Amino acid sequence: METTTRPALWDWKLGLGVLIVFALLAASLLFGQYDVFGAEDGAAMFGITRLPRTIALVLAGAAMAMSGLVMQLLTQNRFVEPSTTGTTEWAGLGLLFVLWIAPTSSILVKMMGAVAFSFIGTIVFFLFLRRVTLRSSLIVPIVGIMLGAVISAVSSFFALQTDMLQQLGIWFMGSFTSVYKGQYEVLWLVLAVLAAVFIYADRLTVVGLGEDIATNIGLNYNRMLLLGTSLIAVATGVVTVVVGSLPFLGLIVPNVVSMVRGDDLRSNLPWVCLLGIGIVTVCDLVGRIIIAPFEMPVSVILGVLGAAVFIVMIVRSTRAR
């Protein structure tokens, strides 16, 4: 009788990946238009802007890659992630709503609004999937993108009515340019989300097998689905408030990792986070270089890369049939 063993959580390949990502992060710390080593206030600027920006790259990249992994697991669909299910758009709507009620609110209050609306949006998407039977897995992200487009239109209309359209564009730009000390610290919540995903990894994996199997082994399916949705909402809401939209990151990374290592959530989580950090950092460095001394938003580069990967996945899925 053949037995399957879980892939090792740590091996030399992961160690090599960590070294490569550390090298990219070092490049992020060292590279920039402002000379933090030669200027008199260079050390201060390094602590105010350069270091927070690099930390934000780590936390945001890990958060969105992890969100895509969990969302794909819960929906049993490899084509979904926060930007293809409307979750990111709901977070932006929540941010607008908070600023409309309390324009001078702190970033913590903004985060709470974005998280709450992200949770509502993700629940709406999951409820739709449970109520409607879709013949093809390709229809699921299309439905999510349509829902996101509706929410985006509502946000734009609301922003026009409240003179916040310019702010809306800045928030959804998906750039690390505006990350600085005192503004990014809520991203540390991502570590708690990652820890929770790792702790409940096996249960979330069972939930991904379907309600019948989860119930048969004594697992509360709805409770775990609610937990997974909450974790996705927190990660997406926090990243949206601090950085903006990072499209397709949660689509690219989990699929690349699963093609190489399979679908075990617990052993894949370090790889997913590491690859997410690496991709975001590379895109950020490219954005700083390509039109220097100006910067191109990370979301633009991720959008092009993610769209290409999305098309390739659709073509491969169609040919497999």
Side-chain angles (χ1 to χ4, degrees), residues 74-194:
L74 295 180
T75 60
Q76 303 176 47
N77 190 297
R78 295 191 180 278
F79 296 96
V80 300
E81 63 106 28
S83 65
T84 61
T85 58
T87 303
T88 302
E89 286 77 9
W90 276 94
L93 181 60
L95 192 56
L96 279 176
F97 184 74
V98 170
L99 285 178
W100 177 58
I101 296 177
T104 59
S105 58
S106 66
I107 192 169
L108 184 61
V109 176
K110 296 175 185 176
M111 181 208 71
M112 293 173 64
V115 168
F117 274 69
S118 295
F119 179 79
I120 294 172
T122 309
I123 287 292
V124 168
F125 180 74
F126 282 162
L127 288 176
F128 179 84
L129 292 184
R130 295 186 68 175
R131 296 292 180 89
V132 179
T133 302
L134 301 175
R135 295 182 178 180
S136 172
S137 61
L138 297 176
I139 303 298
V140 176
I142 294 175
V143 170
I145 292 172
M146 291 173 61
L147 290 173
V150 172
I151 300 303
S152 180
V154 172
S155 299
S156 298
F157 177 78
F158 185 68
L160 278 170
Q161 297 298 313
T162 55
D163 295 325
M164 291 191 292
L165 189 61
Q166 185 175 3
Q167 289 176 299
L168 181 68
I170 293 173
W171 292 326
F172 280 99
M173 188 177 296
S175 175
F176 291 85
T177 306
S178 59
V179 175
Y180 54 87
K181 185 178 180 181
Q183 185 263 354
Y184 81 100
E185 283 78 4
V186 292
L187 275 174
W188 288 109
L189 284 173
V190 169
L191 294 181
V193 175
L194 290 173

Side-chain angles (χ1 to χ4, degrees), residues 274-309:
L274 195 65
L275 187 57
I277 295 167
I279 290 177
V280 169
T281 305
V282 169
C283 290
D284 184 60
L285 289 171
V286 171
R288 296 189 217 179
I289 296 171
I290 196 168
I291 55 172
F294 305 102
E295 290 192 21
M296 181 177 290
V298 173
S299 60
V300 175
I301 303 171
L302 274 176
V304 174
L305 179 63
V309 173

Side-chain angles (χ1 to χ4, degrees), residues 238-254:
V238 171
V239 173
T240 300
V241 168
V242 178
V243 178
S245 175
L246 297 177
F248 297 115
L249 183 63
L251 175 72
I252 301 170
V253 176

